[in-house]
Amino acid sequence: MERALNRRQSIRRWRDLVVMLAWRDITIKYKQSVMGFLWAILMPSLVVGAGVAVQYGLGWYSGRQVDARNLAAVAVKSVPWAFFVASLRFATGSLIANATLVTKVYLPREVFPIAAVLSQFADFCVASAALAVVLALTGSGASLTLLWVPVLVAGLVALCLGLGMFLSAGALFFRDVKYLVDVVITFAVFFTPVFYPVEIFGRHAGTALLNPVAPFLVGLADVVVKHQAPSPAWTAYAMGVAAACCAGGFAVFRRLEPLFAERI
Amino acid sequence: MSDYTVEVEGVSKKFRRGELHDSLRDLVPSLVRRALRHGPPPELAAREFWALHDVSFGVRRGEALGVVGGNGAGKSTLLKLLGGILRPTRGAVRVHGRLSALIEVSAGFHPDLTGRENVFLYGTILGMTRQEIRRRFDEIVAFSGLEEFIDTPVKRYSSGMFARLGFSVAAHVDPEVLLVDEVLSVGDVVFQRRCMERMQEVLRQGTAVLFVSHNLRAVTDLCGRALLLERGRLAADGEAVRVVQTYLGHALAGRRDVEGRDAYIVRLAVRGAGGEAASFRSGERAWVDIDVTARTACDRLSITLYAQDENWRGVFDTSTERLGQGTISLRPGEGFHCSVQLDLHLAPGTYQIGAALYRYDIQREYDRWFPAATLFVGADQDVRGIANLYPRVVAFESGTGPV
C-alpha cells in the first residue's frame, strides 16, 4: 500500500519535473522579448516562407505551374521539420546546459532531454494551430484521414525523444557530438523531402524515405493535403525506427547515467 | 527494516586528477591503449586517488550528524554519494525514504524567472510536487521574508535574498533525510538563526540531517554526533564536541615542531571541576595546566596565556609576569609547571586557547602554541557577543516612557 503510494508520488513528481523544466525553457525563451510567444508562429512561418520561395523558384526555373497543393504540402512538412530540428538541437545540449543541476542535485536525469523535446513541442503546437487556421481558410478541407495526424506526430515525437536521449548523453561525454549534430542537421534538409516532393527522386524515392523523418513528413502531407492514408509500409518502417530509437536511447541513457556527474 | 535511515557501508570513491578525454580525438588512442594492455587494471592507476576510502556509518531518524574536515577531505563527495549524484566505486549507500539536498542553493534558480516562478521550479527540482508547493507557498515566502519581491525576477535580487529564497524552499521539502552543505553561511544573522531553528524543527519531526559546515560552532550546536574526514578516510566518529576538538587538534596543532627551540611548552591542558574537559557552561571555572622545559639555560621567562573567539579576535590575554608571579629561570633539561584558574564569563561560542613563552626585557619569544586547546562554551540564556554579562530583566512594563 505504502509502496504503491510512493510509486504514485514518484510518478507525479517525475511528471511535474518534466512539465516545470519544459515550462521554464518556454518561459525563458520569450521573456524580455516584445513579440513573446508570437515568435513560436513567426519562426516556422519563416521556414514555410523559405519553402514556398524555393517552390516558386523551382517552378519559374523549370517553367512548370506552381501548384497550390504543392505549396500546402511544403507548409505541412516544414512545420514538423522545424520541430524535429529544434528539438534535436535543444535536447542534445540539454544535459550540458543543466550542468549545475546534474552535478548538484539528484534528479532522474532523463527529464532534461524529455523536457527539451516537450518545450519544442509546445512551439510546434502553436505553429500547427496557426497553420491549421491558414489551411482551413484556403479551403484545404477536412476528412477522416486527418485522424492519422496524431499518430504520425506521436511517431515523430518518439523519434525525437529517442535520438535526444542518445545525443544528450553523447554530448555530455564528448562535446563533439553537439557540433556534429549541428552540421548534420544543417545539411539534412537537402536530403529530406521537406521543400520538395519525394517523387523528385524518381526511382530513388525509396532511398530518400529510408531517412526515418521522411515517411512522417510525407505521410503528414498526404494526410492533410491529399486526404489519403499514408503509405502503410513506410509508416510502419518509420514507426519501427522511432520505437527502436526510443528503446535504444533510453537504454543507453540509463546505462551511462551513473557517470554523468563525474564526466560532464 | 533496519533502524537506520541512512546506511553507508565500506564506501570508496575513486577520482582522477587532471583532464579526462573530452573529445573523440583523445578517446581513440586511449581505447587502443586499453585494448593493448594485458592483465587486470591496477587498483589505482596513474593520476587516480581515493576521494573517499572505506567509510562506514549510519544515521538514525531524527539524528543530526555533523561532517567536518579540511578542504578536499571528501565531505562533498560523501554528500554527493548519499544524494545519488555519484555512484560509489566500492561499497553501498542505502537511504530509506525521501532525500533532499541543500547543496548550493542557487543551482536550481533561473535568473530571468520571478521569485514566485523560481519557488515552483526549485521546489519540483528538490522533489516536491506542484500540488505540495502550492499548498505551502505562503509558508515558504513568509519564511524567506521576501513577500514584496516575490514577483521580481531573481536576477534583480541581492545574493543574500537569492540564497534566502533558496533555503526557504529547501527547508519546506519535508524529506526523511536532509543533506546540508555549507549553506548557512549566507544570509544575515537573523536569517541564519531562523535556519538553525528550522533545522531543529525538522529534526524533531524525525528527519535525519547530515550537516557539513566549516562553522564548527554550528556543528556542535546542531549535531550530537559528528564525523571527521581526513583525506577521504573516516578519522573520527563520535560525540560532536569531541570530534570537532580532534579536528581542531589535528588541523591546527597537529604538526607542532619544537626542534631547535631553547625553551618550549611541553603540554597545555584544560580541566574542569571533573577533570580534563572541553565543554563548559558560561561562568564555570576552568584550569589551564601548562608545562614548559628548556634545552639551554633560560632566564626571566614568563608564560603568556590568551584566548581568541571563532573570528580570531582576542578576547583575553594575560601573563604570569603581569599577574605578579615574577619570572622563571630554567637550567637545561629542567621543567616547570604552572596552573592558571579561569572563570569563564564568556558568551556561548567556541574559543581557542593559546600560550607563549616570552622574555619581556629582550622581547624574545621562545615558543608560541596556538591554538593549543579549544573551549566550547554554552549558556542557559540566549546571549551573544564575547562576554556574558548575565543579564536579568528587572523591569518590563508600559506607560512610563515619554510619549
Side-chain angles (χ1 to χ4, degrees), chain A residues 90-108:
Chain A
F90 206 54
T92 303
S94 63
L95 286 174
I96 305 167
N98 288 294
T100 45
L101 287 181
V102 173
T103 55
K104 302 276 185 210
V105 187
Y106 182 75
L107 309 167

Side-chain angles (χ1 to χ4, degrees), chain B residues 68-110:
Chain B
V68 295
N71 292 123
K75 304 186 297 291
S76 296
T77 306
L78 179 65
L79 289 200
K80 284 185 178 182
L81 287 166
L82 288 171
I85 296 163
L86 297 173
R87 233 12 100 84
T89 312
R90 271 195 236 136
V93 174
R94 274 187 290 279
V95 176
H96 306 288
R98 177 150 86 163
L99 177 142
S100 181
L102 242 169
I103 303 172
E104 202 170 310
V105 171
S106 57
F109 274 21
H110 196 284

Side-chain angles (χ1 to χ4, degrees), chain A residues 7 38 43 74 76 148 155 213 224 246 249:
Chain A
R7 200 174 157 70
L38 282 176
M43 289 304 276
V74 167
V76 169
W148 274 101
V213 194
V224 175
C246 247

Side-chain angles (χ1 to χ4, degrees), chain A residues 9 12-13 16 20 23-24 28 31-32 103-107 173-176 258 261-263, chain B residues 13 20 22-24 27 80 83-87 104 110 117 120-121 124-125 127 129-131 155:
Chain A
Q9 185 81 9
R12 183 180 300 163
R13 186 201 155 192
D16 281 359
M20 283 309 289
W23 167 84
R24 176 195 68 177
I28 288 160
K31 270 244 161 138
Q32 263 198 17
T103 55
K104 302 276 185 210
V105 187
Y106 182 75
L107 309 167
F173 291 95
F174 307 108
R175 296 294 188 269
D176 318 49
E262 281 170 67
R263 303 291 291 274
Chain B
K13 180 70 191 171
L20 294 166
D22 243 334
S23 75
L24 291 169
L27 175 69
K80 284 185 178 182
I85 296 163
L86 297 173
R87 233 12 100 84
E104 202 170 310
H110 196 284
E117 291 166 332
F120 277 89
L121 177 64
T124 39
I125 285 170
T129 60
R130 279 185 296 169
Q131 194 190 333
K155 61 184 168 188

Side-chain angles (χ1 to χ4, degrees), chain B residues 12 56 62 82 237 249 252 259 300 330 348 385:
Chain B
S12 300
S56 303
L82 288 171
D237 176 354
L252 300 168
E259 253 343 274
R300 298 189 183 207
L330 294 171

